[in-house]
Amino acid sequence: MIIKKMLKISLLKKLTCILILIFLFVILIKIHAFVNESSEPVFSINGEKHILKDMNINIEIYGDGNISLKTLLSKGKKYLITPGYVDIYSFYVYSNGKVYFYQTDNFARLINNSNDRINHVEVYEKQNSIYIKYYTRNSEIEKNIGLEMKIETPINDYINQQIPDVTKTKEREELRQKFLGLYE
């Protein structure tokens, strides 16, 4: 009788262990699938050539414990950005002496389990000003509801606002280069 109880307990423990292992295996598969789906689409950019030739767009990418700065556009030349896993994007946009900075979390990665995720930038002129519009889904392009940004602040004014201490020449130049530099 005691041997039968021991066998039953032992069998029950074995089944419990097997079920726990199966459960953990399923969780690992789900985590792996989520991480792979979290990889970001490649960036694309469109706009009129006469506007793009005088622009720089650099994007700082925060993700997976790393920060990298990549060039999307430099003086009309387009560069490939394949972001990977991203938590935050920072856009450094320069056009004809004026700049725009924008930082956004990558919330779309967490909520968009759709197949229409994109990273697309449109550059255009409206009322004698240069704008960019950033889209994270194809459906946003269809509805024209991307994030619109007007490039209007002179670069020196922006740098003076962000780093008012003119003796911090290294920091000021680093910020200037985030708008003007070429990062591959």
Side-chain angles (χ1 to χ4, degrees):
M1 185 105 162
I2 294 175
I3 295 176
K4 282 187 178 180
K5 282 186 178 180
M6 288 177 68
L7 287 175
K8 283 184 181 179
I9 292 173
S10 178
L11 183 61
L12 185 60
K13 283 184 179 180
K14 286 180 184 178
L15 285 174
T16 303
C17 286
I18 290 171
L19 287 175
I20 290 172
L21 288 173
I22 290 172
F23 179 73
L24 290 174
F25 182 72
V26 169
I27 288 176
L28 287 174
I29 289 172
K30 293 285 186 183
I31 290 171
H32 178 72
F34 175 76
V35 169
N36 286 339
E37 287 177 9
S38 299
S39 184
E40 287 297 297
V42 171
F43 269 87
S44 62
I45 183 167
N46 286 331
E48 297 178 29
K49 286 185 181 181
H50 76 278
I51 299 172
L52 297 180
K53 73 178 180 65
D54 295 320
M55 287 191 82
N56 277 9
I57 300 176
N58 291 321
I59 302 174
E60 199 164 38
I61 300 168
Y62 300 78
D64 238 3
N66 298 312
I67 301 172
S68 62
L69 191 58
K70 304 283 185 182
T71 297
L72 178 61
L73 178 74
S74 180
K75 300 174 185 159
K77 185 175 179 185
K78 299 174 185 179
Y79 293 85
L80 180 67
I81 296 180
T82 308
Y85 182 88
V86 178
D87 292 317
I88 298 171
Y89 288 115
S90 295
F91 291 82
Y92 294 87
V93 182
Y94 172 88
S95 179
N96 292 317
K98 296 180 180 176
V99 298
Y100 188 86
F101 171 78
Y102 179 73
Q103 188 172 63
T104 181
D105 63 20
N106 191 17
F107 192 64
R109 171 182 53 82
L110 299 175
I111 62 170
N112 289 346
N113 287 331
S114 64
N115 58 1
D116 76 336
R117 289 180 51 213
I118 58 171
N119 280 314
H120 181 70
V121 176
E122 287 284 335
V123 179
Y124 54 95
E125 189 172 2
K126 180 171 77 174
Q127 300 170 345
N128 295 324
S129 295
I130 305 297
Y131 288 82
I132 69 168
K133 195 173 269 192
Y134 173 54
Y135 299 95
T136 60
R137 297 179 70 173
N138 274 320
S139 56
E140 291 176 352
I141 292 176
E142 294 164 8
K143 297 173 186 173
N144 195 26
I145 57 170
L147 173 69
E148 185 176 67
M149 302 168 254
K150 182 178 179 183
I151 306 162
E152 62 184 342
T153 305
I155 190 168
N156 290 332
D157 290 354
Y158 181 82
I159 291 170
N160 288 336
Q161 290 168 1
Q162 299 304 308
I163 308 171
D165 185 349
V166 294
T167 63
K168 295 186 176 186
T169 55
K170 181 181 176 191
E171 292 88 347
R172 292 168 65 88
E173 186 55 31
E174 286 172 357
L175 180 56
R176 180 181 304 280
Q177 285 307 306
K178 285 186 176 186
F179 288 101
L180 301 174
L182 178 62
Y183 301 92
E184 297 183 47

